[in-house]
DNA sequence: GCCACTACCTTGTGTCACAAGGTAGCTTGT
DNA sequence: ACAAGCTACCTTGTGACACAAGGTAGTGGC
């Protein structure tokens, strides 16, 4: 979640849809909204209401400095955990980069 | 867990200790024993009591054919998930193989 | 006999993902 | 105008799980 918000602010419904594009990360609103609430309570994200061009207003989430720190910590932990699991499983570490362009926070806005 | 049992049968306490050697996988008996119970209930592992050379008897766990299938399925899911997370995080996929010799099920017995 | 170590297991607590359901704004069709 | 449908938010209830803590018992050393 924090990584998706790293490049630019996004709103909840958008996050559900973006994650849903990859089957391995598919999740639901019942997961995302409580998660965003927790992140907000822990001051890792800030929120801001913005009008939608068409439809109800959207609640945008943006990383705080604390959120950036937490993300950096998590990145390190993830690499440690990932390599440990790969070690136990004996799974090769290839670079599957076919999907990153779709969902990675690329600061683009060509939607 | 299944991967650790792939090469040879192991007992619960041993698994806790082996996992504890890697900080990223450190866990406790309160986690491992219920997990092994679940795997047994789902017929992914079989058990067998064996005498210990010194100390109380040990309950050894061994993969069943179903367990092997489940492990194969998990390996695939793990690679998909791992690559998805790496894609979102933008973490490079290097081969950290420094630790695998310590814990990977290598069918060795030189302890 | 007592302590320490090995080795098993259970109970209680808190967290979390998810399905399901609820509210409300906006647009489109009739 | 009003219904239907989409967008977008959120809550409640359920079940799974990790973990800390505590409990039982066999073995060996002092």
């Amino acid at each position: 979640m924090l990584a998706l918000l790293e490049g630019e602010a996004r709103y909840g419904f958008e996050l559900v849809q973006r994650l849903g594009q990859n089957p391995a990360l598919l999740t639901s609103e019942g997961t995302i909204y409580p998660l965003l609430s927790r992140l907000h309570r822990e001051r890792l994200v800030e929120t801001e209401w913005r009008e939608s061009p068409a439809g109800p207003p959207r609640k945008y989430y943006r990383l705080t400095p604390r959120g950036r720190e937490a993300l950096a910590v998590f990145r390190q932990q993830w690499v440690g955990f990932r390599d440990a699991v790969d070690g136990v499983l004996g799974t090769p570490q290839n670079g599957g980069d076919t999907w990153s362009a779709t969902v990675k926070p690329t600061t683009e806005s060509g939607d």
Side-chain angles (χ1 to χ4, degrees), chain A:
Chain A
M1 287 304 313
L2 297 177
L4 286 176
L5 298 174
E6 193 176 21
E8 56 184 311
R10 298 190 193 278
Y11 59 99
F13 201 76
E14 180 189 6
L15 291 163
V16 175
Q17 291 180 327
R18 287 182 99 87
L19 289 173
Q21 286 168 18
N22 187 313
L25 299 182
L26 194 146
T27 187
S28 70
E29 298 176 60
T31 301
I32 293 304
Y33 287 118
L35 171 56
L36 288 169
S37 282
R38 264 175 276 144
L39 296 178
H40 187 244
R41 196 189 322 133
E42 294 163 22
R43 311 263 184 242
L44 303 183
V45 298
E46 295 171 327
T47 64
E48 176 196 0
W49 285 98
R50 287 191 218 164
E51 289 301 318
S52 165
R58 298 164 172 174
K59 198 174 186 176
Y60 278 79
Y61 292 84
R62 187 184 330 107
L63 282 194
T64 63
R66 288 196 46 173
R68 267 173 227 288
E69 288 173 35
L71 176 55
V73 169
F74 180 80
R75 274 209 175 91
Q76 278 196 305
Q77 291 177 341
W78 162 253
V79 170
F81 176 74
R82 178 199 66 184
D83 291 347
V85 173
D86 276 331
V88 172
L89 284 178
T91 35
Q93 291 110 358
N94 53 0
D97 205 64
T98 37
W99 178 71
S100 58
T102 333
V103 178
K104 215 167 48 177
T106 43
T107 326
E108 109 297 359
S109 38
D111 245 48

